[in-house]
Every structure is written in structure tokens, then in C-alpha cells.
Coordinates of all heavy atoms in Angstrom, one line a residue:
M790 N -10.0 18.8 57.8 CA -9.0 19.1 56.8 C -9.1 20.6 56.5 O -10.2 21.2 56.5 CB -9.2 18.3 55.5 CG -8.7 16.9 55.6 SD -8.3 16.1 54.1 CE -9.6 16.3 53.0
S791 N -8.0 21.2 56.2 CA -8.0 22.6 55.9 C -8.4 22.8 54.4 O -8.5 21.9 53.7 CB -6.6 23.2 56.1 OG -5.7 22.7 55.1
R792 N -8.7 24.0 54.1 CA -9.2 24.3 52.8 C -8.1 24.1 51.8 O -8.4 23.6 50.7 CB -9.6 25.8 52.8 CG -10.3 26.2 51.5 CD -10.8 27.6 51.6 NE -11.8 27.8 50.5 CZ -12.4 28.9 50.3 NH1 -12.1 29.9 51.0 NH2 -13.2 29.0 49.3
A793 N -6.9 24.4 52.1 CA -5.8 24.2 51.1 C -5.5 22.8 50.9 O -5.3 22.4 49.7 CB -4.5 24.8 51.7
S794 N -5.6 21.9 51.9 CA -5.4 20.5 51.6 C -6.6 19.9 50.8 O -6.4 19.0 50.0 CB -5.3 19.7 53.0 OG -6.5 19.9 53.7
K795 N -7.8 20.4 51.0 CA -8.9 19.9 50.2 C -8.8 20.3 48.7 O -9.0 19.5 47.8 CB -10.3 20.5 50.7 CG -10.7 19.9 52.0 CD -12.0 20.6 52.5 CE -12.5 20.1 53.8 NZ -13.7 20.7 54.3
L796 N -8.3 21.5 48.5 CA -8.1 22.0 47.1 C -6.9 21.2 46.5 O -7.0 20.8 45.3 CB -7.7 23.5 47.1 CG -8.9 24.4 47.3 CD1 -8.5 25.9 47.4 CD2 -10.0 24.2 46.2
T797 N -5.9 20.9 47.2 CA -4.8 20.1 46.7 C -5.2 18.7 46.4 O -4.9 18.2 45.3 CB -3.6 20.1 47.7 OG1 -3.2 21.4 48.1 CG2 -2.4 19.3 47.2
L798 N -6.0 18.1 47.2 CA -6.5 16.7 47.0 C -7.4 16.8 45.8 O -7.3 15.9 44.9 CB -7.3 16.2 48.2 CG -7.9 14.8 48.1 CD1 -6.9 13.8 47.8 CD2 -8.8 14.5 49.3
F799 N -8.3 17.7 45.7 CA -9.2 17.8 44.5 C -8.4 18.0 43.2 O -8.7 17.4 42.2 CB -10.2 19.0 44.7 CG -11.1 19.2 43.5 CD1 -12.1 18.3 43.3 CD2 -10.9 20.3 42.7 CE1 -13.0 18.5 42.2 CE2 -11.7 20.5 41.6 CZ -12.8 19.6 41.4
G800 N -7.4 18.9 43.2 CA -6.6 19.2 42.0 C -5.8 17.9 41.6 O -5.8 17.6 40.4
T801 N -5.2 17.3 42.5 CA -4.4 16.1 42.2 C -5.3 14.9 41.7 O -5.0 14.2 40.8 CB -3.6 15.6 43.3 OG1 -4.4 15.3 44.5 CG2 -2.5 16.5 43.7
S802 N -6.5 14.8 42.3 CA -7.5 13.8 41.8 C -8.0 14.1 40.4 O -8.1 13.2 39.6 CB -8.7 13.8 42.8 OG -8.3 13.4 44.1
C803 N -8.3 15.4 40.1 CA -8.7 15.7 38.8 C -7.6 15.5 37.7 O -7.8 15.0 36.6 CB -9.1 17.2 38.7 SG -10.7 17.5 39.5
M804 N -6.3 15.8 38.1 CA -5.2 15.6 37.3 C -5.0 14.1 37.0 O -4.7 13.7 35.8 CB -3.9 16.2 37.9 CG -2.7 16.1 37.0 SD -2.8 17.1 35.6 CE -2.3 18.7 36.3
A805 N -5.1 13.3 38.0 CA -4.9 11.8 37.8 C -6.0 11.3 36.9 O -5.8 10.5 36.0 CB -5.0 11.1 39.2
A806 N -7.3 11.8 37.1 CA -8.4 11.3 36.3 C -8.2 11.7 34.8 O -8.4 10.9 33.9 CB -9.7 11.9 36.8
A807 N -7.7 12.9 34.6 CA -7.4 13.4 33.3 C -6.3 12.6 32.6 O -6.4 12.3 31.4 CB -7.0 14.9 33.3
I808 N -5.3 12.2 33.3 CA -4.2 11.4 32.8 C -4.7 10.1 32.4 O -4.4 9.5 31.3 CB -3.0 11.3 33.8 CG1 -2.3 12.7 33.9 CG2 -2.1 10.3 33.4 CD1 -1.3 12.8 35.0
V809 N -5.5 9.4 33.2 CA -6.1 8.1 32.9 C -6.9 8.2 31.7 O -6.8 7.3 30.8 CB -6.9 7.6 34.2 CG1 -7.7 6.3 33.8 CG2 -5.9 7.3 35.3
V810 N -7.8 9.2 31.6 CA -8.7 9.3 30.4 C -7.8 9.5 29.2 O -8.0 9.0 28.1 CB -9.7 10.5 30.6 CG1 -10.4 10.8 29.3 CG2 -10.7 10.1 31.7
G811 N -6.8 10.4 29.3 CA -5.9 10.6 28.1 C -5.1 9.4 27.7 O -5.0 9.1 26.5
V812 N -4.7 8.6 28.6 CA -4.0 7.3 28.3 C -5.0 6.3 27.6 O -4.6 5.7 26.6 CB -3.3 6.7 29.5 CG1 -2.9 5.3 29.2 CG2 -2.2 7.5 30.0
H813 N -6.2 6.2 28.1 CA -7.1 5.3 27.4 C -7.5 5.8 26.0 O -7.6 5.0 25.1 CB -8.4 5.2 28.3 CG -8.3 4.4 29.5 ND1 -8.2 3.0 29.4 CD2 -8.2 4.6 30.8 CE1 -8.1 2.5 30.6 NE2 -8.1 3.5 31.5
Y814 N -7.6 7.1 25.8 CA -7.9 7.7 24.5 C -6.7 7.4 23.6 O -6.9 7.0 22.4 CB -8.2 9.2 24.6 CG -8.3 9.8 23.2 CD1 -9.5 9.6 22.5 CD2 -7.3 10.5 22.6 CE1 -9.6 10.2 21.2 CE2 -7.4 11.1 21.4 CZ -8.6 10.9 20.7 OH -8.7 11.5 19.5
S815 N -5.5 7.5 24.1 CA -4.3 7.3 23.3 C -4.2 5.8 22.9 O -3.9 5.5 21.7 CB -3.1 7.7 24.1 OG -1.9 7.3 23.4
Q816 N -4.6 4.9 23.8 CA -4.5 3.5 23.5 C -5.6 3.1 22.4 O -5.3 2.3 21.5 CB -4.8 2.7 24.8 CG -3.6 2.6 25.7 CD -3.9 1.9 27.0 OE1 -5.0 1.6 27.3 NE2 -2.8 1.5 27.7
R817 N -6.7 3.7 22.5 CA -7.8 3.4 21.5 C -7.3 3.9 20.1 O -7.5 3.2 19.1 CB -9.1 4.0 21.9 CG -9.8 3.3 23.0 CD -11.2 3.9 23.3 NE -11.8 3.2 24.4 CZ -13.0 3.4 24.8 NH1 -13.7 4.4 24.2 NH2 -13.5 2.7 25.8
A818 N -6.8 5.1 20.1 CA -6.3 5.7 18.8 C -5.2 4.8 18.2 O -5.2 4.5 17.0 CB -5.8 7.1 19.0
E819 N -4.3 4.3 19.1 CA -3.2 3.5 18.6 C -3.7 2.2 18.1 O -3.3 1.7 17.1 CB -2.2 3.3 19.8 CG -0.9 2.5 19.4 CD 0.0 2.4 20.5 OE1 0.3 3.5 21.1 OE2 0.5 1.3 20.8
K820 N -4.7 1.6 18.8 CA -5.3 0.3 18.4 C -6.0 0.5 17.0 O -5.8 -0.4 16.1 CB -6.3 -0.2 19.4 CG -6.8 -1.5 19.1 CD -7.8 -2.0 20.2 CE -8.4 -3.3 19.9 NZ -9.3 -3.8 20.9
A821 N -6.7 1.6 16.8 CA -7.4 1.8 15.6 C -6.3 2.0 14.4 O -6.5 1.5 13.3 CB -8.2 3.1 15.7
A822 N -5.2 2.7 14.7 CA -4.2 2.9 13.7 C -3.6 1.6 13.3 O -3.3 1.3 12.1 CB -3.2 3.9 14.2
M823 N -3.3 0.7 14.3 CA -2.7 -0.6 14.0 C -3.7 -1.5 13.2 O -3.3 -2.1 12.3 CB -2.4 -1.3 15.3 CG -1.2 -0.7 16.0 SD -0.9 -1.3 17.7 CE -0.7 -3.1 17.4
H824 N -5.0 -1.4 13.5 CA -6.0 -2.2 12.8 C -6.0 -1.7 11.3 O -6.1 -2.5 10.4 CB -7.3 -2.1 13.4 CG -8.4 -2.8 12.7 ND1 -8.4 -4.2 12.6 CD2 -9.5 -2.4 11.9 CE1 -9.5 -4.6 11.9 NE2 -10.1 -3.5 11.5
A825 N -6.0 -0.3 11.1 CA -6.0 0.2 9.8 C -4.7 -0.3 9.0 O -4.8 -0.5 7.8 CB -6.0 1.7 9.8
G826 N -3.6 -0.4 9.7 CA -2.4 -1.0 9.0 C -2.6 -2.4 8.6 O -2.2 -2.8 7.5
V827 N -3.3 -3.2 9.4 CA -3.5 -4.6 9.0 C -4.5 -4.6 7.8 O -4.3 -5.4 6.9 CB -4.1 -5.3 10.2 CG1 -4.6 -6.7 9.8 CG2 -3.1 -5.5 11.3
V828 N -5.5 -3.8 7.8 CA -6.5 -3.8 6.7 C -5.7 -3.4 5.4 O -6.0 -3.9 4.4 CB -7.6 -2.8 7.0 CG1 -8.5 -2.6 5.8 CG2 -8.5 -3.4 8.2
R829 N -4.9 -2.4 5.5 CA -4.1 -1.9 4.4 C -3.2 -3.0 3.9 O -3.1 -3.2 2.6 CB -3.3 -0.7 4.8 CG -2.6 0.0 3.6 CD -1.9 1.3 4.0 NE -1.1 1.2 5.2 CZ -1.4 1.8 6.4 NH1 -2.4 2.5 6.5 NH2 -0.5 1.6 7.4
D830 N -2.5 -3.7 4.7 CA -1.7 -4.8 4.3 C -2.5 -5.9 3.6 O -2.0 -6.5 2.6 CB -0.9 -5.4 5.5 CG 0.2 -4.5 6.0 OD1 0.5 -3.6 5.3 OD2 0.7 -4.8 7.2
I831 N -3.6 -6.3 4.1 CA -4.5 -7.3 3.5 C -4.9 -6.8 2.1 O -4.9 -7.6 1.1 CB -5.7 -7.6 4.4 CG1 -5.3 -8.3 5.6 CG2 -6.7 -8.4 3.6 CD1 -6.4 -8.5 6.7
E832 N -5.2 -5.6 2.0 CA -5.6 -5.0 0.6 C -4.4 -5.1 -0.3 O -4.6 -5.4 -1.5 CB -6.1 -3.6 0.8 CG -6.5 -2.9 -0.5 CD -7.7 -3.6 -1.2 OE1 -8.4 -4.4 -0.6 OE2 -7.8 -3.4 -2.4
Q833 N -3.2 -4.7 0.2 CA -2.0 -4.8 -0.7 C -1.7 -6.2 -1.1 O -1.4 -6.4 -2.3 CB -0.8 -4.2 0.0 CG -0.9 -2.7 0.2 CD 0.3 -2.1 1.0 OE1 1.0 -2.9 1.6 NE2 0.5 -0.8 1.0
Q834 N -1.9 -7.2 -0.3 CA -1.7 -8.6 -0.6 C -2.7 -9.0 -1.7 O -2.4 -9.8 -2.6 CB -1.8 -9.5 0.6 CG -0.6 -9.3 1.6 CD -0.7 -10.1 2.8 OE1 -1.8 -10.7 3.1 NE2 0.3 -10.1 3.7
R835 N -3.9 -8.6 -1.5 CA -5.0 -8.9 -2.5 C -4.6 -8.4 -3.9 O -4.7 -9.1 -4.9 CB -6.3 -8.4 -2.0 CG -7.5 -8.9 -2.9 CD -8.8 -8.1 -2.7 NE -8.7 -6.7 -2.9 CZ -8.7 -6.1 -4.1 NH1 -8.8 -6.9 -5.2 NH2 -8.6 -4.8 -4.3
V836 N -4.2 -7.1 -3.9 CA -3.9 -6.5 -5.2 C -2.7 -7.2 -5.8 O -2.6 -7.4 -7.0 CB -3.6 -5.0 -4.9 CG1 -3.0 -4.3 -6.2 CG2 -4.9 -4.3 -4.6
K837 N -1.7 -7.5 -5.0 CA -0.5 -8.2 -5.5 C -0.9 -9.5 -6.1 O -0.4 -9.9 -7.1 CB 0.5 -8.4 -4.3 CG 1.8 -9.0 -4.8 CD 2.8 -9.1 -3.6 CE 4.1 -9.7 -4.1 NZ 5.1 -9.8 -2.9
K838 N -1.7 -10.3 -5.4 CA -2.1 -11.6 -5.9 C -2.9 -11.4 -7.3 O -2.7 -12.2 -8.2 CB -3.0 -12.3 -4.9 CG -2.2 -12.9 -3.8 CD -3.2 -13.6 -2.8 CE -2.4 -14.2 -1.6 NZ -3.3 -14.8 -0.6
E839 N -3.7 -10.4 -7.3 CA -4.5 -10.1 -8.5 C -3.6 -9.8 -9.7 O -3.7 -10.3 -10.8 CB -5.5 -9.0 -8.2 CG -6.4 -8.6 -9.4 CD -7.4 -7.5 -9.0 OE1 -8.1 -7.7 -8.0 OE2 -7.3 -6.5 -9.7
R840 N -2.6 -8.9 -9.4 CA -1.6 -8.5 -10.4 C -0.8 -9.7 -10.9 O -0.5 -9.9 -12.1 CB -0.7 -7.4 -10.0 CG -1.4 -6.1 -9.8 CD -0.5 -5.0 -9.4 NE -1.2 -3.8 -9.3 CZ -0.7 -2.7 -8.6 NH1 0.5 -2.8 -8.0 NH2 -1.4 -1.6 -8.6
Q841 N -0.4 -10.6 -9.9 CA 0.4 -11.8 -10.3 C -0.5 -12.7 -11.2 O 0.0 -13.3 -12.1 CB 0.8 -12.5 -9.0 CG 1.7 -13.7 -9.3 CD 3.0 -13.3 -9.9 OE1 3.6 -12.2 -9.6 NE2 3.6 -14.2 -10.7
A842 N -1.8 -12.9 -10.8 CA -2.6 -13.7 -11.7 C -2.8 -13.1 -13.1 O -2.7 -13.9 -14.1 CB -4.0 -13.8 -11.0
D843 N -2.9 -11.8 -13.2 CA -3.0 -11.1 -14.5 C -1.7 -11.4 -15.3 O -1.7 -11.6 -16.5 CB -3.2 -9.6 -14.3 CG -4.7 -9.3 -13.9 OD1 -5.5 -10.2 -14.1 OD2 -4.9 -8.2 -13.5
F844 N -0.5 -11.3 -14.6 CA 0.7 -11.5 -15.2 C 0.9 -12.9 -15.7 O 1.3 -13.1 -16.9 CB 1.9 -11.2 -14.2 CG 3.2 -11.5 -14.8 CD1 3.8 -10.6 -15.7 CD2 3.9 -12.6 -14.4 CE1 5.1 -10.9 -16.2 CE2 5.2 -12.9 -14.9 CZ 5.7 -12.1 -15.8
E845 N 0.5 -13.9 -14.9 CA 0.5 -15.3 -15.4 C -0.4 -15.5 -16.6 O 0.0 -16.2 -17.5 CB 0.1 -16.2 -14.2 CG 1.1 -16.2 -13.0 CD 2.5 -16.7 -13.4 OE1 2.6 -17.5 -14.3 OE2 3.5 -16.2 -12.7
M846 N -1.6 -14.9 -16.5 CA -2.5 -15.1 -17.7 C -1.9 -14.5 -18.9 O -1.9 -15.1 -20.0 CB -3.8 -14.4 -17.3 CG -4.9 -14.6 -18.4 SD -6.4 -13.9 -18.1 CE -6.0 -12.1 -18.1
Q847 N -1.3 -13.3 -18.8 CA -0.7 -12.6 -20.0 C 0.5 -13.5 -20.5 O 0.7 -13.6 -21.7 CB -0.2 -11.2 -19.6 CG -1.3 -10.2 -19.4 CD -2.1 -10.0 -20.7 OE1 -1.6 -10.0 -21.8 NE2 -3.4 -9.9 -20.6
K848 N 1.3 -14.0 -19.6 CA 2.4 -14.9 -19.9 C 1.9 -16.1 -20.7 O 2.5 -16.5 -21.7 CB 3.2 -15.3 -18.7 CG 4.5 -16.0 -19.0 CD 5.5 -15.0 -19.4 CE 6.9 -15.6 -19.5 NZ 7.9 -14.8 -20.1
A849 N 0.9 -16.7 -20.2 CA 0.3 -17.9 -20.9 C -0.2 -17.5 -22.3 O 0.0 -18.2 -23.3 CB -0.8 -18.5 -20.1
L850 N -0.9 -16.4 -22.4 CA -1.4 -15.9 -23.7 C -0.2 -15.6 -24.7 O -0.3 -16.0 -25.9 CB -2.2 -14.7 -23.5 CG -3.6 -14.9 -23.0 CD1 -4.3 -13.5 -22.7 CD2 -4.5 -15.7 -24.0
E851 N 0.8 -15.0 -24.2 CA 2.0 -14.7 -25.0 C 2.6 -16.0 -25.5 O 3.0 -16.1 -26.7 CB 3.0 -14.0 -24.2 CG 4.3 -13.6 -24.9 CD 5.3 -12.9 -24.1 OE1 5.1 -12.8 -22.9 OE2 6.4 -12.6 -24.7
E852 N 2.8 -17.0 -24.7 CA 3.3 -18.3 -25.1 C 2.4 -19.0 -26.2 O 2.9 -19.5 -27.2 CB 3.5 -19.3 -23.9 CG 4.6 -18.8 -22.9 CD 5.9 -18.7 -23.6 OE1 6.3 -19.6 -24.4 OE2 6.7 -17.8 -23.2
E853 N 1.1 -18.9 -25.9 CA 0.2 -19.4 -26.9 C 0.3 -18.7 -28.3 O 0.3 -19.4 -29.3 CB -1.3 -19.3 -26.3 CG -2.3 -20.0 -27.2 CD -3.7 -19.9 -26.6 OE1 -3.8 -19.8 -25.4 OE2 -4.6 -19.9 -27.4
Y854 N 0.3 -17.4 -28.2 CA 0.4 -16.6 -29.5 C 1.8 -16.9 -30.2 O 1.8 -16.9 -31.4 CB 0.2 -15.2 -29.2 CG -1.2 -14.8 -28.8 CD1 -1.5 -13.7 -28.0 CD2 -2.3 -15.6 -29.2 CE1 -2.8 -13.4 -27.6 CE2 -3.6 -15.3 -28.9 CZ -3.8 -14.2 -28.0 OH -5.1 -13.9 -27.7
K855 N 2.8 -17.1 -29.4 CA 4.1 -17.3 -30.0 C 4.1 -18.7 -30.7 O 4.8 -18.8 -31.7 CB 5.2 -17.3 -29.0 CG 5.6 -15.9 -28.6 CD 6.8 -15.9 -27.6 CE 7.3 -14.5 -27.3 NZ 8.4 -14.5 -26.4
K856 N 3.3 -19.6 -30.2 CA 3.2 -20.9 -30.9 C 2.5 -20.8 -32.2 O 2.8 -21.4 -33.2 CB 2.5 -21.9 -30.0 CG 3.3 -22.4 -28.9 CD 2.4 -23.3 -28.0 CE 3.1 -23.7 -26.7 NZ 2.2 -24.6 -25.9
I857 N 1.5 -19.9 -32.3 CA 0.7 -19.7 -33.5 C 1.3 -18.8 -34.5 O 1.3 -19.1 -35.7 CB -0.7 -19.2 -33.0 CG1 -1.4 -20.2 -32.1 CG2 -1.6 -18.9 -34.3 CD1 -2.7 -19.7 -31.5
Q858 N 1.9 -17.7 -34.0 CA 2.4 -16.6 -34.9 C 3.9 -16.7 -35.0 O 4.6 -17.1 -34.1 CB 1.9 -15.3 -34.4 CG 0.4 -15.1 -34.3 CD 0.0 -13.8 -33.7 OE1 0.9 -13.1 -33.2 NE2 -1.3 -13.5 -33.7
Q859 N 4.4 -16.1 -36.1 CA 5.8 -15.9 -36.2 C 6.2 -14.6 -35.6 O 5.7 -13.5 -36.0 CB 6.2 -16.0 -37.7 CG 7.6 -16.1 -38.0 CD 8.1 -17.6 -37.7 OE1 7.5 -18.3 -37.0 NE2 9.3 -17.9 -38.2
V860 N 7.0 -14.6 -34.6 CA 7.4 -13.4 -33.8 C 8.9 -13.1 -33.9 O 9.7 -14.0 -33.7 CB 6.9 -13.5 -32.3 CG1 7.3 -12.2 -31.6 CG2 5.5 -13.7 -32.2
H861 N 9.2 -11.9 -34.3 CA 10.6 -11.5 -34.3 C 10.9 -10.5 -33.2 O 10.1 -9.5 -33.1 CB 11.0 -10.8 -35.7 CG 10.7 -11.8 -36.8 ND1 11.5 -12.8 -37.1 CD2 9.8 -11.8 -37.8 CE1 11.1 -13.5 -38.2 NE2 10.0 -12.8 -38.6
D862 N 11.9 -10.8 -32.4 CA 12.2 -9.9 -31.3 C 12.9 -8.6 -31.7 O 12.8 -7.6 -31.0 CB 13.1 -10.6 -30.2 CG 12.2 -11.7 -29.5 OD1 11.0 -11.5 -29.5 OD2 12.8 -12.6 -29.0
T863 N 13.6 -8.6 -32.8 CA 14.4 -7.5 -33.3 C 13.7 -6.8 -34.4 O 13.1 -7.5 -35.3 CB 15.8 -7.8 -33.6 OG1 15.8 -8.8 -34.7 CG2 16.6 -8.4 -32.4
V864 N 13.9 -5.5 -34.6 CA 13.4 -4.7 -35.7 C 14.5 -4.3 -36.6 O 15.5 -3.8 -36.1 CB 12.6 -3.5 -35.2 CG1 12.1 -2.6 -36.3 CG2 11.5 -3.9 -34.2
P865 N 14.4 -4.6 -37.9 CA 15.5 -4.2 -38.8 C 15.7 -2.7 -38.8 O 14.7 -1.9 -38.7 CB 15.1 -4.7 -40.1 CG 13.7 -4.9 -40.1 CD 13.3 -5.2 -38.6
P866 N 17.0 -2.2 -38.8 CA 17.2 -0.7 -38.8 C 16.6 -0.1 -40.1 O 16.7 -0.6 -41.2 CB 18.7 -0.6 -38.7 CG 19.2 -1.9 -39.3 CD 18.2 -2.9 -38.9
V867 N 16.1 1.1 -39.9 CA 15.5 1.9 -41.0 C 16.7 2.7 -41.7 O 17.4 3.4 -40.9 CB 14.4 2.8 -40.5 CG1 13.8 3.7 -41.7 CG2 13.3 2.0 -39.9
A868 N 16.8 2.7 -43.0 CA 17.8 3.5 -43.7 C 17.5 5.0 -43.6 O 16.3 5.4 -43.7 CB 17.9 3.0 -45.1
D869 N 18.5 5.8 -43.4 CA 18.4 7.3 -43.3 C 18.2 7.8 -44.7 O 19.2 7.7 -45.5 CB 19.6 7.9 -42.6 CG 19.4 9.3 -42.3 OD1 18.2 9.8 -42.4 OD2 20.4 10.0 -41.9
S870 N 17.1 8.4 -45.1 CA 16.9 8.9 -46.4 C 17.6 10.3 -46.6 O 17.7 10.7 -47.7 CB 15.4 9.1 -46.7 OG 14.8 10.0 -45.8
A871 N 18.0 11.0 -45.5 CA 18.6 12.3 -45.7 C 20.1 12.2 -46.1 O 20.7 13.1 -46.5 CB 18.6 13.1 -44.4
G872 N 20.7 11.0 -46.0 CA 22.1 10.8 -46.4 C 23.0 11.0 -45.2 O 22.6 11.3 -44.1
A873 N 24.3 10.9 -45.5 CA 25.3 11.0 -44.4 C 25.4 12.4 -43.9 O 25.8 12.6 -42.7 CB 26.6 10.4 -44.9
G874 N 25.2 13.4 -44.7 CA 25.4 14.8 -44.3 C 24.4 15.2 -43.3 O 24.7 15.9 -42.3
G875 N 23.2 14.9 -43.5 CA 22.1 15.2 -42.5 C 21.7 16.6 -42.5 O 20.9 17.0 -41.6
N876 N 22.1 17.5 -43.4 CA 21.6 18.9 -43.5 C 20.2 18.9 -44.2 O 20.1 18.6 -45.3 CB 22.5 19.8 -44.3 CG 23.8 20.1 -43.4 OD1 23.8 19.9 -42.2 ND2 24.8 20.7 -44.1
V877 N 19.2 19.3 -43.4 CA 17.9 19.3 -44.0 C 17.5 20.8 -43.9 O 17.5 21.4 -42.8 CB 16.9 18.4 -43.2 CG1 15.5 18.6 -43.7 CG2 17.4 17.0 -43.2
A878 N 17.1 21.4 -45.0 CA 16.7 22.8 -45.0 C 15.2 23.0 -44.9 O 14.4 22.2 -45.2 CB 17.2 23.4 -46.3

């Protein structure tokens, strides 16, 4: 084989090897990112369940307290002591 053909074969072989290594690295990085997404989703579901449990507990406490205490949902309006004019010096 001539020198030029040996260099061409060597160059294309190195390029092919580099592409294969690059693709494998890319696949590993993508797999790790996908796994991180799954872990994040599991954590979000755990937090959501925890918040829902807290909400249910607060709702139960509110119902219990409403049975015991007299609760008014509205607040009576406060009379304006400055009068209708509203000029305050």
C-alpha cells in the first residue's frame, strides 16, 4: 500500500473511533439526565403527598375547632372616625 492510502486508512479509522466514543459518551449523559428526571419526579410526588397530608390534617383540625368554637366568617365594618369629609391635618 502506498503511504497516502495508509494515512487515509489511519485517519478514517481514528475518525470512526472518535465518533463511536462520542456517541457512547452522549448516550451515557442522556441516560444520566433521564434518571435524574425520574428521581426529581419521585421527589415531587413525595412532597405533594406530604403537603396533601398536611392539608387534610389542617382541614380536620379546622372542622374540629369549628365544632368547639363559635366562628364568624365575616368581620363587621369599622366606622370611620374622621367623618365623611376625610380631611386630616
Side-chain angles (χ1 to χ4, degrees):
M790 282 201 313
S791 70
R792 185 174 199 186
S794 62
K795 288 180 184 178
L796 287 176
T797 302
L798 179 62
F799 178 74
T801 55
S802 298
C803 288
M804 183 68 80
I808 289 172
V809 168
V810 169
V812 167
H813 282 290
Y814 175 76
S815 175
Q816 286 177 342
R817 284 187 183 181
E819 186 175 311
K820 184 178 178 182
M823 288 173 55
H824 180 69
V827 170
V828 170
R829 186 174 50 247
D830 287 346
I831 291 170
E832 178 64 18
Q833 287 176 348
Q834 289 175 356
R835 184 193 64 78
V836 168
K837 184 177 179 181
K838 285 179 183 178
E839 186 178 301
R840 288 180 180 166
Q841 185 65 32
D843 287 343
F844 175 76
E845 295 296 330
M846 184 178 67
Q847 289 296 320
K848 188 73 170 172
L850 284 173
E851 179 183 3
E852 293 298 323
E853 183 179 333
Y854 291 152
K855 281 184 177 181
K856 288 178 186 176
I857 298 170
Q858 300 173 354
Q859 195 69 346
V860 178
H861 300 288
D862 289 335
T863 60
V864 177
V867 178
D869 188 14
S870 62
N876 284 346
V877 179

